[in-house]
Amino acid sequence: MAGKNRDSYTEQFMSLFSEHRKGFENIAYSYVHDREVAKDMVTDVFVHLWSHREEIDWDVNLKGYVYMGIRSRCISWLRRQQSARKAHDYMARDRKWREESAIAALADDSVSSRLFSSEVISIFRKELDRMPGLTREVFLASRIGDRTYQEIAMTLGIKERRVATEMQKALDILRKGLRDYI
């Protein structure tokens, strides 16, 4: 108010501040449940009141003016807290989902075993194709045909000792090719 002198503002302000600050802090605390935040809000409202003292009608209900300022700050603070909590909850759910997915993927033997077995089969076939003819024939007769060394020797017209040697060659070739998987 233009007609009021500076001492009158100061006197009214100091009276309002000293008599009602604690009550306003309790009101703010009842909403925000944090003493420091409540004190800061009340201080902010009083700083705003003082910095705008020339524009404020000091004859109106100043307690109501301060209360409305506190109420507005509490609402804003609570909304920010709610938004932050929602974001935090979302991030926590997302992190939990990622962890559970990673665990499930690692624990899911069917996926890894399919990937693993397709690589192994590919390498096995490649190494089998690179084997000399007799070595491949002996290996397939033994492992796929489920024949004994004696049966293979009789079928191929070679000695059992040669069957054992060819089997050893085949296994060595496969071990080298599959060394990363064995």
Side-chain angles (χ1 to χ4, degrees):
M1 215 170 176
K4 239 174 193 238
N5 67 26
R6 187 169 172 78
D7 290 337
S8 179
Y9 293 138
T10 306
E11 188 178 304
Q12 274 188 284
F13 179 84
M14 293 307 291
S15 173
L16 181 67
F17 183 78
S18 61
E19 290 176 27
H20 299 289
R21 179 181 53 87
K22 282 287 186 200
F24 286 134
E25 287 175 3
N26 288 335
I27 289 170
Y29 177 77
S30 72
Y31 293 109
V32 299
H33 305 290
D34 184 319
R35 283 280 172 211
E36 294 305 312
V37 171
K39 286 179 182 180
D40 288 347
M41 286 179 180
V42 171
T43 301
D44 287 349
V45 171
F46 275 102
V47 166
H48 178 80
L49 178 67
W50 183 251
S51 63
H52 292 88
R53 64 187 174 276
E54 301 289 331
E55 303 147 21
I56 294 173
D57 184 1
W58 288 81
D59 295 327
V60 298
N61 181 2
L62 287 179
K63 286 192 315 186
Y65 180 86
V66 172
Y67 171 75
M68 292 304 288
I70 291 168
R71 179 180 171 271
S72 174
R73 281 168 176 76
C74 286
I75 290 169
S76 295
W77 187 85
L78 290 168
R79 284 183 178 150
R80 282 192 309 274
Q81 293 301 308
Q82 185 179 39
S83 292
R85 194 172 27 263
K86 282 181 182 178
H88 181 266
D89 291 348
Y90 172 78
M91 290 180 349
R93 276 193 314 273
D94 184 58
R95 185 173 40 253
K96 182 180 177 186
W97 177 82
R98 288 178 191 270
E99 289 169 355
E100 288 173 354
S101 295
I103 290 168
L106 289 170
D108 186 4
D109 284 340
S110 66
V111 172
S112 60
S113 66
R114 275 186 280 155
L115 291 172
F116 181 73
S117 64
S118 68
E119 285 181 46
V120 169
I121 290 169
S122 174
I123 293 168
F124 175 80
R125 286 184 179 149
K126 187 172 72 175
E127 295 302 322
L128 196 60
D129 288 343
R130 292 195 325 191
M131 287 180 191
L134 182 61
T135 307
R136 181 176 46 253
E137 201 172 341
V138 168
F139 177 80
L140 290 173
S142 172
R143 301 298 180 173
I144 308 297
D146 202 28
R147 293 176 159 174
T148 66
Y149 283 13
Q150 185 179 15
E151 292 173 330
I152 296 169
M154 287 175 50
T155 304
L156 296 175
I158 56 175
K159 295 186 180 199
E160 275 186 62
R161 180 87 177 133
R162 178 80 191 267
V163 171
T165 303
E166 294 302 322
M167 267 306 285
Q168 190 58 47
K169 270 196 225 176
L171 293 174
D172 286 343
I173 291 168
L174 290 172
R175 265 190 218 102
K176 282 181 188 173
L178 295 169
R179 68 184 166 272
D180 293 337
Y181 299 92
I182 298 175

